[in-house]
Amino acid sequence: MPNWTVASETGRLAEVLVCPPDHYRWLPTNAVARRSLGAGRQPGRAALAAQHAELCDALARAGATVHRLPPQPHLPYMAYTRDPVVVTHRGPVLCQLERPQRRGEYAHHLEWHQAQGSAMWRLSSAGTLEGGDVHILRPGLAVVGASGGRTDRAGAEQFAGWLRAEGWEVRIEPFDEHFLHLDLLFCMAAPGLAVACTEALPDDFLAWLRARAIRVLPTTYREAMALAGNILSLGAGRVVSARASARLNAALRAEGLEVLDPDLSLFAAGGGGPHCLTCPLRREEPDAG
């Protein structure tokens, strides 16, 4: 049985799950995708495959084992593997997706985990819960976004309760569903360093982060809606950030981080970036060797 656990968003990424975009297309399920669809076009299959391959190459170059979930033709947003399952310090949690177009994804994630011998630690059963709203800041500290549009209060409280029973501090952060998931507004970059849309996040949340020694690199509303802040920490001083996020990437490099910057513009136009496109299965914390 694999030992798949994640105790923070910034531990060294050792194993990760992606899904090839064989059937990916933009769906009118979020503000970003609706804007893209307004132009009357869809992304090409070859271009999507090339961009996804860039992402997978970056993950592999950073030393992560890349697992692939078989795509299904009736579930075009399976490429965003972040949402159906969240891996915690105790193992995977099966989420409950809100959008009808995505609800069937749970079955294929569950089957895949079962085939690998991976057991779910918990199953979401109250309200809705989506992985893009769950942020494990460091061991013992997490925040769960609850817009009501994807993760609702009941789903967030159930998940938070499981972690609190383990002695964790968990904040539930309300935000406007216009922003899809919390990871459009906030992502960890490195231990003690986050990227956050300070124009949209409330002052009390930013103060809460400061009180817990988490600094913020700010993004603007425009950058957030272009998925600039939707980054993936690889641990060990590395981060994946989309090539189009030039200003943010310069700021990350100024912090001493190595930035791997694949072109993910077609996925960003559908409402997702490197954080959305990956489900970390195992991370190694520094003190774990």
Side-chain angles (χ1 to χ4, degrees):
M1 178 178 294
N3 181 29
W4 285 337
T5 58
V6 172
S8 82
E9 293 272 346
T10 59
R12 190 188 75 81
L13 185 63
E15 297 185 65
V16 62
L17 180 65
V18 302
C19 182
D22 296 11
H23 310 291
Y24 179 87
R25 65 182 186 276
W26 297 327
L27 298 176
T29 59
N30 63 73
V32 177
R34 285 192 292 272
R35 182 180 61 198
S36 300
L37 287 166
R41 61 189 180 92
Q42 281 283 357
R45 187 74 53 85
L48 284 166
Q51 290 193 3
H52 199 264
E54 271 197 66
L55 171 64
C56 293
D57 180 64
L59 297 169
R61 283 191 288 121
T65 297
V66 181
H67 300 270
R68 288 170 172 81
L69 180 70
Q72 302 297 320
H74 62 295
L75 295 168
Y77 266 20
M78 278 184 73
Y80 298 128
T81 54
R82 174 71 53 167
D83 298 316
V85 170
V86 174
V87 180
T88 71
H89 69 298
R90 293 290 301 274
V93 171
L94 185 67
C95 299
Q96 190 151 234
L97 303 185
E98 189 276 338
R99 288 293 189 265
Q101 299 94 328
R102 298 197 63 188
R103 286 180 192 158
E105 294 176 27
Y106 87 93
H108 302 284
H109 279 260
L110 188 58
E111 288 174 356
W112 186 85
H113 276 268
Q114 289 173 339
Q116 312 307 310
S118 168
M120 293 291 155
W121 177 51
R122 294 285 187 269
L123 306 176
S124 175
S125 61
T128 54
L129 177 71
E130 303 201 356
D133 286 319
V134 176
H135 296 261
I136 302 176
L137 308 184
R138 61 175 178 250
L141 182 66
V143 60
V144 183
S147 70
R150 296 305 176 96
T151 297
D152 64 13
R153 189 80 191 193
E157 289 285 4
Q158 183 181 51
F159 182 85
W162 294 329
L163 294 190
R164 288 168 180 158
E166 299 279 313
W168 285 51
E169 178 187 359
V170 184
R171 178 185 175 99
I172 295 178
E173 183 60 37
F175 67 100
D176 194 294
E177 66 179 276
H178 169 71
F179 295 107
L180 180 58
H181 291 118
L182 187 59
D183 65 1
L184 188 145
L185 297 172
F186 173 87
C187 279
M188 292 299 293
L193 181 66
V195 170
C197 182
T198 52
E199 293 180 1
L201 289 166
D203 290 342
D204 66 321
F205 176 55
L206 300 174
W208 182 84
L209 292 171
R210 287 194 299 271
R212 284 148 187 81
I214 297 174
R215 292 189 299 116
V216 162
L217 293 178
T219 59
T220 65
Y221 170 82
R222 182 183 293 273
E223 287 173 326
M225 294 305 291
L227 279 296
N230 190 263
I231 64 172
L232 175 71
S233 173
L234 299 170
R238 290 176 167 178
V239 63
V240 178
S241 179
R243 189 169 304 152
S245 307
R247 189 199 65 80
L248 175 61
N249 292 346
L252 291 166
R253 291 183 175 112
E255 292 286 339
L257 297 173
E258 179 184 352
V259 178
L260 286 68
D261 58 350
D263 179 9
L264 298 172
S265 55
L266 296 175
F267 296 99
H275 196 264
C276 298
L277 289 163
T278 53
C279 177
L281 297 172
R282 183 167 63 90
R283 287 185 181 270
E284 297 172 349
E285 296 302 314
D287 61 356

